[in-house]
């Protein structure tokens, strides 16, 4: 399953680890990939630069990839990013796009420079919320230090299920 995890976030920053499944219909394999950085977007809004943590060989078929990074959203785009986290914490799937931003391997860079990775992700269920009967209605991402910062805090709005 493809999912996004926010459990390494702090009070002053939103850190996401995204587990992706990327298909490779080609008969070709490619290794070593080297270090890769991906620009991740949601509805045209840049979420930040995410480093690929686990993907050393592109294999034929499904490839499991983990990327991680700190959310860096422009203050003018916080409402769309807030909608993203409202959907994720509310248990809904979202589509993310990723583009190659950096690569230590020139062959990989040449091969992926114009490729868009499109994947659907969901947050794993939050047992504490389920057990307490709490449903996330919306989330607000807000700058922590001021209007020109890229450090964000996530504040959920919730209700008890059935109320």
């Amino acid at each position: 399953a493809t999912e996004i995890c926010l459990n390494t976030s702090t009070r002053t920053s939103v850190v996401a680890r995204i587990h992706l499944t990327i298909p490779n219909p080609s008969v070709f394999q490619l290794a070593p990939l080297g270090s890769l950085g991906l620009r991740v977007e949601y509805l045209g809004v840049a979420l930040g630069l995410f480093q690929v943590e686990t993907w050393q060989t592109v294999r034929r078929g499904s490839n499991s990839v983990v990327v991680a990074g700190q959310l860096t959203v422009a203050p003018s785009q916080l409402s769309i990013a807030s909608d993203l986290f409202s959907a994720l914490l509310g248990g809904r799937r979202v589509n993310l796009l990723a583009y190659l931003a950096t690569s230590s391997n020139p062959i990989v860079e040449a091969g992926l420079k114009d490729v868009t990775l499109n994947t659907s992700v969901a947050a794993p269920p939050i047992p504490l919320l389920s057990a307490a009967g709490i449903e996330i209605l919306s989330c607000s991402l807000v700058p922590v230090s001021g209007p020109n910062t890229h450090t964000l805090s996530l504040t959920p709005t919730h209700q008890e299920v059935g109320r």
Side-chain angles (χ1 to χ4, degrees):
T2 301
E3 63 185 34
I4 187 168
C5 181
L6 305 171
N7 66 358
T8 57
S9 298
T10 67
R11 290 187 66 199
T12 59
S13 67
V14 179
V15 178
R17 290 187 82 234
I18 306 171
H19 299 256
L20 304 172
T21 302
I22 299 176
N24 175 22
S26 170
V27 296
F28 297 103
Q29 292 191 153
L30 178 61
L33 288 179
S35 62
L36 299 173
L38 300 175
R39 287 181 298 116
V40 177
E41 294 183 1
Y42 173 69
L43 296 179
V45 172
L47 300 178
L49 179 64
F50 289 73
Q51 294 301 313
V52 176
E53 291 184 347
T54 59
W55 196 20
Q56 290 306 307
T57 302
V58 177
R59 291 181 172 81
R60 182 176 187 191
S62 292
N63 290 266
S64 180
V65 181
V66 176
V67 298
Q70 182 172 334
L71 197 68
T72 54
V73 179
S76 63
Q77 302 295 324
L78 288 178
S79 64
I80 292 174
S82 294
D83 291 344
L84 164 68
F85 285 93
S86 296
L88 289 170
L89 294 176
R92 297 179 301 280
R93 296 190 75 75
V94 298
N95 287 323
L96 297 177
L97 299 178
Y99 308 90
L100 182 67
T102 61
S103 174
S104 64
N105 184 325
I107 295 171
V108 172
E109 186 171 357
L112 294 179
K113 72 178 183 176
D114 296 321
V115 174
T116 301
L117 304 172
N118 182 356
T119 191
S120 173
V121 298
I126 303 170
L128 180 62
L129 295 179
S130 302
I134 296 174
E135 176 183 5
I136 300 295
L137 300 175
S138 65
C139 294
S140 296
L141 285 167
V142 294
V144 173
S145 313
N148 296 323
T149 185
H150 286 297
T151 303
L152 303 170
S153 175
L154 180 67
T155 305
T157 302
H158 63 278
Q159 75 175 3
E160 291 182 35
V161 176
R163 298 212 175 215

